[in-house]
């Protein structure tokens, strides 16, 4: 017997909204100005080391430029929207005859980040990511030079480009090097006096090899420090650099980032190091495909199966329409709060509550990852004691936390059946006073935490914690002393 029954009414139809109907106008007016890395083209009176923090997300890209000398950070706008949407650039690369654009083209490339993580050696994917980042770099630099010319007109800029990567992937040296390489190629392509195209990216790759062989021939525009940083380390920077951070406490934190494609959850210890740097020791670091769009695909799959069992004529039409919405990961329109709201005029009857696809995904995937693999496992593997896991501060970030579906995670983490000591206490990440982001509401700052942290954070050591060694037997211990007879089993 099927665990559910679906009945379609006479007005049954798909309830999802097409993303293209609410397409935002992407700004690209600063691209020409951003082909140079310098705002000053005369004699400089000053010199600033500034960092461009690029949060290269599955669904959107966020950029913050930090200037420690000024003590300021500037969020870069990419669209004509309001509030946080103004600073979110959909991760879509458009292409026409080999020429790339942020706005339009005959072909649109999506899923850039996830595709590269899955296939880091694919030259086509590397080219597309470099092209996307090159366009972003130009837009960000051009915007900075246009809107803050009075600040930087007589200042020589020494650039650092920081890209975020999930911790589990950051600990993969090959993948970290891949992102370092594509980011470096992107910077060099952005500095070339031509449109961003396949030819430009290829020329930038060649130029990268030339610079490696003869660094003294590198131009001022090409001079950049590339850094690939764990995203979660960047997210917590605003907190650890504030007055609320107490060096004398244990400073163990749980960070959960719910994105479009994945949920990134880590339990870690952070401490200040020499030279203004921060060291991070990770007890657990898990990245799994439990993000918003994978929840969406899970729901669509459920509906496809359910509709295949319906005899009503509308079932086939709705199923076909659903297929068009299943795979894009850069959707900007909010998903329905429940799986039942994907189809108008449809009634769903579940045989038992445990057959609910939303609850199944939440408990067996999301809660299992965060509470089990990221939190409980730190105790099971011997990293931390029960006393250390009581009331650990937990920070929840990412666009997915806007959904009631994922926000329930905070209450779930405050208690665990059978383990009263295993609880995490939610903390809020406050909007930094030095971040200039006109129109950004403080409640939406968590979408910008990675980019902000990348623009300032100086990372020291990033290590994976090892469990404490177990006590070894004394050399003269008899095997009989460690033998357990049947009577004790």
């Amino acid at each position: 017997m099927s665990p559910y029954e679906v009945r379609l009414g006479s007005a049954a139809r798909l309830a999802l909204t097409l993303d293209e109907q609410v397409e935002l106008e992407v700004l690209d007016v600063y691209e020409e100005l951003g082909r140079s890395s310098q705002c000053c083209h005369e004699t400089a009176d000053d010199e600033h080391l500034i960092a461009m923090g690029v949060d290269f997300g599955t669904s959107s890209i966020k950029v913050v430029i930090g200037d420690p000398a000024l003590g300021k950070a500037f969020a870069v706008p990419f669209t004509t929207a309001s509030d946080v949407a103004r600073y979110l650039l959909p991760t879509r690369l458009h292409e026409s005859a080999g020429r790339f654009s942020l706005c339009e083209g005959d072909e649109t490339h999506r899923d850039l980040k996830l595709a590269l993580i899955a296939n880091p050696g694919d030259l086509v994917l590397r080219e597309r990511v470099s092209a996307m980042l090159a366009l972003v770099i130009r837009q960000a630099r051009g915007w900075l030079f246009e809107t803050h010319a009075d600040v930087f007109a007589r200042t020589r800029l020494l650039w650092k480009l920081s890209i975020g990567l999930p911790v589990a992937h950051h600990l993969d040296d090959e993948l970290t090097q891949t992102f370092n390489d594509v980011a470096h190629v992107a910077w060099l392509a952005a500095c070339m006096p031509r449109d961003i195209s396949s030819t430009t990216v290829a020329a930038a790759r060649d130029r990268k090899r030339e610079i490696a062989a003869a660094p003294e021939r590198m131009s001022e525009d090409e001079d950049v420090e590339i850094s690939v940083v764990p995203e979660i380390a960047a997210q917590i920077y605003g907190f650890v650099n504030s007055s609320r951070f107490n060096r004398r406490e244990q400073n163990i934190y749980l960070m959960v980032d719910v994105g479009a494609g994945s949920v990134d959850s880590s339990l870690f210890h952070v401490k200040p190091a020499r030279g203004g740097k921060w060291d991070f020791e990770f007890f657990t670091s898990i990245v799994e495909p439990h993000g918003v769009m994978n929840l969406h695909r899970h729901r669509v799959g459920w509906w496809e199966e359910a509709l295949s069992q319906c005899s009503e004529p509308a079932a086939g039409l709705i199923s076909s329409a659903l297929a068009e919405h299943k795979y894009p990961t850069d959707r900007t329109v909010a998903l329905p709060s429940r799986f039942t709201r994907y189809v108008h005029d449809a009634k769903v009857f579940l045989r038992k509550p445990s057959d609910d696809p939303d609850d199944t995904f939440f408990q067996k995937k999301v809660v299992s990852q965060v509470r089990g693999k990221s939190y409980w496992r730190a105790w099971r593997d011997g990293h931390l004691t029960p006393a250390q896991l009581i009331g650990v501060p937990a920070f929840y970030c990412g666009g997915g936390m806007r959904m009631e579906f994922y926000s329930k995670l905070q209450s779930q983490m405050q208690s665990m059946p059978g383990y009263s000591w295993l609880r995490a206490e939610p903390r809020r990440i406050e909007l930094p006073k030095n971040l200039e982001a006109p129109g950004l509401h403080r409640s939406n700052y968590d979408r910008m935490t990675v980019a902000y942290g990348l623009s300032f954070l100086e990372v020291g050591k990033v290590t994976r914690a090892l469990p404490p060694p177990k006590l070894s037997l004394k050399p003269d211990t008899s095997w009989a002393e460690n033998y357990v007879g049947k009577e004790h089993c």
Side-chain angles (χ1 to χ4, degrees):
M1 178 183 293
S2 175
Y4 54 80
E5 179 184 357
V6 173
R7 298 175 188 171
L8 301 179
S10 58
R13 67 187 188 282
L14 186 66
L16 290 175
T17 302
L18 284 172
D19 198 32
E20 286 71 22
Q21 293 177 348
V22 292
E23 191 76 46
L24 298 173
E25 181 183 350
V26 175
L27 303 172
D28 66 345
V29 296
Y30 305 109
E31 191 267 348
E32 185 74 28
L33 188 58
R35 296 188 182 197
S36 171
S37 70
Q38 300 295 319
C39 181
C40 174
H41 298 289
E42 302 174 0
T43 303
D45 296 332
D46 201 358
E47 188 174 87
H48 285 197
L49 173 63
I50 65 176
M52 181 185 297
V54 179
D55 179 4
F56 180 31
T58 302
S59 63
S60 64
I61 293 174
K62 288 77 71 178
V63 176
V64 172
I65 298 175
D67 186 334
L70 295 177
K72 290 184 178 181
F74 308 95
V76 179
F78 286 104
T79 75
T80 56
S82 59
D83 200 353
V84 70
R86 184 178 183 220
Y87 303 99
L88 308 181
L89 173 68
T91 310
R92 303 171 189 165
L93 179 66
H94 303 280
E95 181 180 3
S96 294
R99 179 183 176 276
F100 298 107
S101 168
L102 296 178
C103 300
E104 57 185 3
D106 298 332
E107 188 178 3
T108 301
H109 306 299
R110 305 168 186 259
D111 299 337
L112 299 175
K113 181 179 181 179
L114 295 181
L116 183 60
I117 288 175
N119 303 280
D122 190 306
L123 296 180
V124 173
L125 295 176
R126 292 168 74 107
E127 174 189 272
R128 291 173 183 171
V129 172
S130 288
M132 181 87 203
L133 292 175
L135 292 167
V136 168
I137 290 166
R138 282 186 175 180
Q139 177 71 6
R141 291 192 310 210
W143 172 84
L144 183 74
F145 299 161
E146 175 72 21
T147 58
H148 296 284
D150 57 327
V151 177
F152 299 107
R154 300 187 65 83
T155 301
R156 180 171 180 265
L157 303 179
L158 305 178
W159 283 95
K160 177 180 179 181
L161 176 63
S162 295
I163 306 289
L165 196 63
V167 178
H169 297 144
H170 182 273
L171 295 170
D172 180 337
D173 292 339
E174 182 180 355
L175 195 56
T176 297
Q177 188 58 51
T178 295
F179 273 75
N180 187 293
D181 289 344
V182 297
H184 196 179
V185 169
W187 185 271
L188 296 175
C191 293
M192 292 183 172
R194 62 180 83 165
D195 291 341
I196 300 299
S197 65
S198 295
T199 303
T200 308
V201 175
R205 284 199 302 268
D206 293 340
R207 181 60 184 151
K208 180 175 178 293
R209 287 191 287 268
E210 293 171 0
I211 291 174
E216 68 278 3
R217 297 184 180 180
M218 179 172 53
S219 70
E220 183 178 58
D221 270 352
E222 295 170 330
D223 191 5
V224 65
E225 176 188 347
I226 305 294
S227 178
V228 180
V229 178
E231 291 170 344
I232 279 178
Q235 280 175 315
I236 203 170
Y237 172 77
F239 174 80
V240 299
N241 198 50
S242 71
S243 59
R244 293 175 296 159
F245 181 80
N246 187 342
R247 294 171 183 246
R248 298 180 181 178
E249 295 181 353
Q250 69 173 8
N251 294 318
I252 295 171
Y253 304 100
L254 174 69
M255 181 73 77
V256 181
D257 183 8
V258 181
S262 62
V263 173
D264 184 357
S265 53
S266 294
L267 186 69
F268 58 95
H269 172 239
V270 58
K271 64 178 180 179
R274 293 182 177 180
K277 296 185 177 182
W278 297 86
D279 290 343
F280 294 84
E281 181 184 32
F282 287 85
F283 304 110
T284 58
S285 55
I286 309 293
V287 180
E288 295 195 342
H290 302 152
V292 176
M293 294 313 298
N294 282 309
L295 165 65
H296 169 66
R297 291 173 185 177
H298 171 76
R299 289 171 167 180
V300 171
W302 185 93
W303 272 106
E304 288 176 332
E305 175 65 24
L307 291 169
S308 70
Q309 302 176 31
C310 291
S311 58
E312 290 90 340
L317 295 174
I318 296 172
S319 186
S320 298
L322 272 171
E324 297 180 13
H325 294 263
K326 189 172 185 178
Y327 292 106
T329 56
D330 55 354
R331 180 182 173 89
T332 57
V333 178
L335 294 177
S337 59
R338 290 276 296 157
F339 80 99
T340 53
R341 297 184 178 179
Y342 273 50
V343 179
H344 283 303
D345 196 17
K347 293 184 178 180
V348 177
F349 301 92
L350 301 174
R351 303 298 180 193
K352 53 184 183 294
S354 59
D355 294 328
D356 186 307
D358 276 7
D359 289 347
T360 299
F361 190 96
F362 183 68
Q363 292 294 338
K364 293 187 176 181
K365 295 183 181 294
V366 180
V367 174
S368 176
Q369 173 188 342
V370 179
R371 189 164 65 186
K373 297 177 182 179
S374 301
Y375 204 57
W376 176 79
R377 185 173 289 177
W379 165 74
R380 189 204 68 176
D381 291 349
H383 292 296
L384 299 170
T385 66
Q388 291 174 305
L389 288 168
I390 297 175
V392 166
F395 297 91
Y396 300 90
C397 307
M401 288 304 296
R402 301 295 183 283
M403 291 182 62
E404 181 182 354
F405 178 92
Y406 288 98
S407 66
K408 295 183 299 182
L409 186 61
Q410 299 186 54
S411 59
Q412 287 279 329
M413 291 301 298
Q414 289 182 282
S415 65
M416 182 174 176
Y419 297 86
S420 60
W421 48 268
L422 197 64
R423 63 177 187 271
E425 298 298 332
R427 292 275 188 93
R428 182 177 176 180
I429 297 182
E430 299 294 338
L431 178 67
K433 294 180 180 179
N434 69 338
L435 176 62
E436 292 191 8
L440 176 66
H441 193 276
R442 63 177 57 252
S443 64
N444 289 321
Y445 165 64
D446 67 298
R447 300 292 301 276
M448 303 296 295
T449 52
V450 172
Y452 174 78
L454 290 171
S455 72
F456 278 112
L457 176 64
E458 291 292 334
V459 177
K461 293 183 296 182
V462 177
T463 58
R464 191 190 297 273
L466 296 174
K470 298 182 183 299
L471 294 176
S472 59
L473 297 176
K474 296 179 181 180
D476 59 347
T477 300
S478 166
W479 67 270
E481 294 176 2
N482 296 283
Y483 176 77
V484 180
K486 294 181 179 180
E487 69 273 18
H488 297 298
C489 295

